[in-house]
Amino acid sequence: MDRTVRIGMLGCGTVGGATARLLRDHESEIIARTGCKLELVKVAVRDPAREREIELPPGMVTTDPMAVVDDPSIDVVVETIGGNDPARDLILRALGNGKHVVTANKELLATHGTELMTEAARRSVDLLFEASVGGGIPIVRNMKESLAGDRVRRVMGIVNGTTNFILTRMSEGGLSFADALAEADSLGYTEADPSADIDGHDAAAKIAILASIAFEGRITYADVETDGIGRISQADIAAAHDLGYEVKLLAVAEQTGGAVSARVHPAMLPKTHPLAAVRDVFNAVFVEGQEVGELMFLGRGAGGGPTASAVVGDLVEVARNIVSGGSTPSAGMDNDIELLPHDEVRARYYLRLAVADEAGVLAAIAGSFARSDVSIASVRQEGRGDEAILVLITHVASEGQHRETIDAIEGLDVVKSVRSRIRVEGTREQ
Ligand SMILES: NC(=O)c1ccc[n+]([C@@H]2O[C@H](COP(=O)([O-])OP(=O)(O)OC[C@H]3O[C@@H](n4cnc5c(N)ncnc54)[C@H](OP(=O)(O)O)[C@@H]3O)[C@@H](O)[C@H]2O)c1
């Protein structure tokens, strides 16, 4: 064994604690795989008295994160604090000091990724972030390396375990959204403030990162059109089942012509689509490549062990680079790229309308669709009298056309309300 790679860690909670455990328990395999010892030498936390997954030797723990990023003996900094502040300043400082950085922080990468990558490139050091998307699923390295000879057309993922659990319980257990959320909470699957998951923001950060890798350009969290699952009702789930669909929170990035779009929203997926079978807290990323065709990566998107597996995989890559004198390129993620205006993104829709039960309703509604040039693929009526409900599925049209149609429908006397509108994805018609 030639050398020791010295690691400093910022944070030692769920991910940091499991990372420290893996470095200890997998030490001999890591030495065999890298030719060097990966030694954790300093760990910064907020509260040194807190009980942790592994006991850290006295003298290793500090409450001063600067003591980690400024320590000249440290080669690599692992950031597991999370959030933008102080993680951004600490990582910039570590990179500026010539240290490689491994992070699990999707929020930071999706907001300040370009700035961090520019600094890493300027200092010729690695900035790796496999754990930031899909936890333990090795998707970042596969997209950057194994698919480097292909052209990715579309990436579609279930990248938030909490919302996937809630939708699974609504679909399989018949629970309301509120009851499924309460069950997720009782099992410890929700954050103190569940809105980042429920409203789609966590998934938006992840698809921004995946889109940047897939399409080699700068796509930030702010570029992602985001909608959550809070409005999904049991009526929508039942209608989806009747039509042969499941409802999932999807994160989608695609290239149309030369422009790229990224979005997060609930979607109806045919039960035969591989993503429709992804249940509970599992995550999956479905990639469509020009030559390779369809691929799916499935696994645990969160949890200490799975996420630490990805962090330590990155540390092994850094160690190999240190031994070989190489570095991992940023894969063009900071290039300028053309974004497709949201109104031009094309989609199909499921619409659920409460209507008057009288003659001429269908003709009036069909007229609104025709005026915006949106064609209807199927219509069915549920109930009669006060509760007449029309369920429509459209063919593909632009978001702008769909919005225009819905505005027109909402203005019709015969339409009492548009109860829901959910995109339909994963059909051959795109
Ligand atoms: N948890 C997952 O399943 C998962 C999955 C994928 C990605 N991630 C990402 O991984 C990162 C860490 O998540 P986590 O779940 O491990 O968080 P966590 O359990 O809350 O741990 C955060 C750690 O950071 C420390 N910390 C916070 N502020 C600090 C400061 N100013 N200075 C020094 N230390 C500080 C905390 O110290 P104390 O222990 O003393 O409080 C704690 O050890 C986040 O970016 C998250 O998005 C997490």
Side-chain angles (χ1 to χ4, degrees):
M1 186 174 60
D2 289 346
R3 65 162 294 176
T4 297
V5 169
R6 290 169 62 89
I7 299 168
M9 196 156 72
L10 303 169
C12 192
T14 305
V15 177
T19 299
R21 175 174 58 79
L22 257 66
L23 286 170
R24 181 195 64 190
D25 294 352
H26 299 183
E27 184 182 3
S28 56
E29 293 100 311
I30 291 171
I31 291 173
R33 288 167 192 162
T34 59
C36 51
K37 181 174 158 59
L38 270 59
E39 189 181 355
L40 186 61
V41 294
K42 207 173 272 184
V43 178
V45 296
R46 246 176 337 202
D47 173 10
R50 197 178 132 186
E51 204 174 311
R52 309 201 177 265
E53 184 168 345
I54 74 164
E55 206 177 318
L56 300 168
M60 188 189 278
V61 179
T62 172
T63 53
D64 178 12
M66 292 304 244
V68 174
V69 295
D70 284 345
D71 183 335
S73 78
I74 286 176
D75 302 295
V76 194
V77 170
V78 177
E79 185 275 312
T80 68
I81 290 178
N84 285 323
D85 183 33
R88 170 172 164 259
D89 288 346
L90 292 169
I91 291 181
L92 282 172
R93 179 113 177 182
L95 295 169
N97 284 336
K99 299 183 194 316
H100 307 281
V101 170
V102 171
T103 177
N105 193 334
K106 64 222 142 201
E107 191 184 340
L108 179 63
L109 283 162
T111 320
H112 299 290
T114 302
E115 182 186 23
L116 302 179
M117 277 164 214
T118 305
E119 182 64 2
R122 192 177 75 79
R123 298 294 310 192
S124 304
V125 290
D126 289 332
L127 170 64
L128 301 183
F129 46 88
E130 181 65 69
S132 66
V133 183
I137 304 174
I139 181 67
V140 170
R141 191 168 289 106
N142 274 305
M143 296 249 295
K144 282 205 301 197
E145 295 176 15
S146 304
L147 293 175
D150 207 333
R151 288 182 183 150
V152 173
R153 297 297 188 212
R154 202 158 195 262
V155 181
M156 199 155 73
I158 292 172
V159 289
N160 182 271
T162 306
T163 45
N164 203 39
F165 175 82
I166 291 170
L167 291 172
T168 303
R169 294 296 293 134
M170 290 178 75
S171 173
E172 296 177 12
L175 270 63
S176 67
F177 171 78
D179 288 348
L181 174 60
E183 191 174 316
D185 196 31
S186 72
L187 292 168
Y189 293 155
T190 52
E191 300 287 331
D193 173 7
S195 62
D197 293 328
I198 302 302
D199 297 340
H201 302 301
D202 172 80
K206 293 169 181 168
I207 197 67
I209 297 168
L210 286 179
S212 298
I213 299 169
F215 305 117
E216 293 171 286
R218 191 175 53 253
I219 295 144
T220 69
Y221 168 77
D223 298 321
V224 183
E225 192 199 3
T226 306
D227 186 19
I229 63 166
R231 286 192 310 264
I232 301 296
S233 66
Q234 255 314 318
D236 295 324
I237 302 275
H241 290 175
D242 283 350
L243 293 158
Y245 293 103
E246 285 290 349
V247 178
K248 295 288 182 188
L249 182 68
L250 287 189
V252 184
E254 62 194 348
Q255 193 155 35
T256 313
V260 168
S261 62
R263 56 191 201 269
V264 171
H265 50 73
M268 289 199 181
L269 268 179
K271 279 182 192 279
T272 49
H273 192 285
L275 283 172
V278 178
R279 303 173 55 254
D280 280 332
V281 291
F282 275 85
N283 282 202
V285 181
F286 188 80
V287 181
E288 295 171 36
Q290 177 181 295
E291 305 300 325
V292 74
E294 296 174 345
L295 301 168
M296 190 160 96
F297 303 83
L298 169 79
R300 292 196 179 274
T307 311
S309 161
V311 170
V312 176
D314 279 351
L315 284 170
V316 164
E317 183 168 335
V318 170
R320 286 176 174 153
N321 284 340
I322 289 173
V323 169
S324 69
S327 70
T328 302
S330 76
M333 291 174 68
D334 44 1
N335 294 338
D336 289 335
I337 196 166
E338 186 189 342
L339 294 170
L340 191 71
H342 292 313
D343 261 11
E344 290 174 30
V345 172
R346 293 176 65 75
R348 303 182 71 185
Y349 267 96
Y350 149 92
L351 296 173
R352 184 176 177 77
L353 314 176
V355 297
D357 190 15
E358 62 189 46
V361 170
L362 258 183
I365 290 170
S368 299
F369 277 92
R371 276 187 288 283
S372 303
D373 204 16
V374 178
S375 62
I376 300 169
S378 69
V379 188
R380 59 201 272 179
Q381 180 166 348
E382 296 170 3
R384 298 217 57 137
D386 283 349
E387 264 307 302
I389 298 284
L390 275 188
V391 173
L392 295 102
I393 305 266
T394 72
H395 284 299
V396 168
S398 72
E399 284 293 327
Q401 287 170 289
H402 283 300
R403 211 197 37 252
E404 201 177 282
T405 313
I406 290 167
D407 286 350
I409 288 174
E410 280 177 329
L412 293 174
D413 288 344
V414 292
V415 174
K416 294 180 182 170
S417 65
V418 177
R419 292 274 174 88
S420 56
R421 45 171 299 196
I422 302 176
R423 288 184 181 85
V424 176
E425 297 281 349
T427 60
R428 286 284 151 206
E429 185 189 335
Q430 296 296 350

